[in-house]
Amino acid sequence: MSPKMPRRRAFATRFVAALGVLAVGTAAVACSSEEVAEEASQPSVVSGEWPRTVDTADGPITLDAPPERIVSTSVTLTGSLLALDAPLIGTGAQPTSNTTDEQGRFSQWADAADERGVETLYQGEPNIERITAAAPDLIVVSAGGADSAKERYDVLSQIAPTLVFDYTDKSWQEMTTALAAAVGAEERAEELISEFDTKVDEARAAIAPALSDSSEVNILTYNSPQDSRIFTAVSAQGQLAERLGLTTAALPDDIANADKGVMAGRADVVPVGVENLSRALPGAITFVISAEHPAAGAMRADPLLAEIPSVRTGKVYALGYDSFRLDYYSANNVVDRIVDALA
């Protein structure tokens, strides 16, 4: 990470009407540097020319100046912003689970957020009051996934310019590059990706001997007896596997094209019921994401999966709780675990 540098600036707080029964306020309040100033420990990352136009999931948006106070409503995108040394001041969080800390922050970047003094503004549904009070000059939103706040775009965009990004069909490198263009951190993005490319090349060479029989893998969250979720070749996890010399196993047509329910419209994840799970796992190797070793053991012991190739050979491996959403931090962790499993 780059050295931390204090930044002092004045900001304007705009109050917007909150949806529901509570009114947040009716007017913008301008504050001079003598009235309100705030210390923030943020690295300096800005490069390139401004104004600039940023490509988003909702089309191009022009930003007049480099952002200095960013709020992320997406725990998935927060990790990439932190890795970019972006001036992130606040983030949304999820309900506490195995993949998060007690504040609902993804475990792979929680320490980095603490070091930067990034405030957790809410858990679960976006808190418009707290986002407004943070006085951001840029808000980052995910277009899909459980951490999406896109339905609140109209309100959020009244607080600050709001950029919507779709991470569901992109690698973390693609998302990091897109976010870097929005915050002026292109050079930092190139550094992160170059470091990771070297790591992947070394990992691919290390595991190659273990792939002599087959490189076909299954990637899933194992939730028996509830629906499990198969991660496809277009998912971030699938794309990473391909770069490591692995091939994501194809699903039978009837499973791939079945009604996805709440996953409708997503190509990266396919929900599969327990009655079809054995047919959905033809690969010689299985990676269980969002899980530790006991979950892999439970899958190997599942009598309904006793005849799938990876269970028969014992090649079922857990990739850790932080493997569910990939960013710079968790992707590095996942590569290490795959090497540990196969090399």
Side-chain angles (χ1 to χ4, degrees):
M1 294 294 179
S2 349
K4 299 173 187 168
M5 300 177 60
R7 174 183 292 126
R8 181 180 297 272
R9 68 182 297 269
F11 62 86
T13 302
R14 299 182 56 196
F15 292 96
V16 298
L19 298 181
V21 298
L22 179 63
V24 175
T26 58
V29 180
C31 303
S32 69
S33 59
E34 291 78 19
E35 293 169 329
V36 179
E38 191 169 278
E39 295 291 343
S41 293
Q42 299 290 354
S44 176
V45 298
V46 176
S47 62
E49 296 182 356
W50 301 81
R52 62 175 54 188
T53 299
V54 180
D55 292 326
T56 76
D58 288 344
I61 292 180
T62 298
L63 301 178
D64 293 331
E68 297 182 6
R69 298 180 59 82
I70 301 174
V71 164
S72 170
T73 64
S74 164
V75 287
T76 301
L77 300 180
T78 293
S80 293
L81 289 166
L82 285 167
L84 286 169
D85 298 338
L88 185 70
I89 60 164
T91 181
Q94 293 190 327
T96 303
S97 69
N98 288 335
T99 63
T100 71
D101 67 0
E102 66 281 356
Q103 294 185 49
R105 307 173 304 176
F106 279 155
S107 56
Q108 66 262 29
W109 53 255
D111 288 345
D114 285 338
E115 291 171 3
R116 305 282 185 79
V118 177
E119 183 180 7
T120 301
L121 299 176
Y122 60 84
Q123 285 184 253
E125 290 298 314
N127 186 317
I128 300 301
E129 279 188 83
R130 296 204 65 187
I131 295 173
T132 302
D137 56 13
L138 184 69
I139 300 172
V140 174
V141 174
S142 63
D147 57 351
S148 175
K150 188 177 180 182
E151 71 280 0
R152 308 302 296 274
Y153 177 86
D154 289 344
V155 176
L156 294 170
S157 61
Q158 294 180 56
I159 304 170
T162 300
L163 306 182
V164 180
F165 294 99
D166 184 1
Y167 61 72
T168 61
D169 60 350
K170 297 176 180 64
S171 67
W172 72 264
Q173 293 96 322
E174 291 172 312
M175 277 314 317
T176 299
T177 300
L179 289 166
V183 303
E186 290 90 338
E187 292 182 5
R188 178 61 175 155
E190 290 175 4
E191 291 175 3
L192 295 172
I193 293 170
S194 178
E195 290 171 8
F196 189 74
D197 287 346
T198 300
K199 186 184 188 79
V200 167
D201 289 344
E202 293 172 350
R204 181 177 180 132
I207 67 175
L211 306 181
S212 56
D213 295 333
S214 175
S215 64
E216 199 170 61
V217 300
N218 317 300
I219 307 172
L220 81 158
T221 57
Y222 172 68
N223 296 319
S224 185
Q226 290 77 33
D227 286 357
S228 296
R229 295 180 181 182
I230 306 295
F231 283 66
T232 69
V234 303
S235 68
Q237 292 82 356
Q239 292 183 55
L240 176 55
E242 298 281 339
R243 291 196 60 196
L244 289 169
L246 303 164
T247 303
T248 306
L251 291 169
D253 288 343
D254 63 312
I255 295 177
N257 299 321
D259 181 8
K260 294 184 180 179
V262 296
M263 297 285 106
R266 293 183 61 172
D268 60 327
V269 178
V270 178
V272 178
V274 65
E275 70 280 3
N276 289 320
L277 190 56
S278 62
R279 293 197 300 120
L281 303 172
I285 300 167
T286 292
F287 293 131
V288 187
I289 65 174
S290 190
E292 299 290 354
H293 296 301
M299 184 172 172
R300 287 193 294 266
D302 189 336
L304 296 177
L305 303 179
E307 295 305 313
I308 69 170
S310 60
V311 169
R312 286 203 310 267
T313 59
K315 295 181 178 179
V316 179
Y317 309 103
L319 294 185
Y321 290 129
D322 60 355
S323 58
F324 186 66
R325 290 280 185 249
L326 294 189
D327 52 34
Y328 171 75
Y329 303 104
S330 56
N332 273 278
N333 293 340
V334 167
V335 171
D336 288 340
R337 292 176 192 131
I338 289 176
V339 171
D340 287 344
L342 300 184

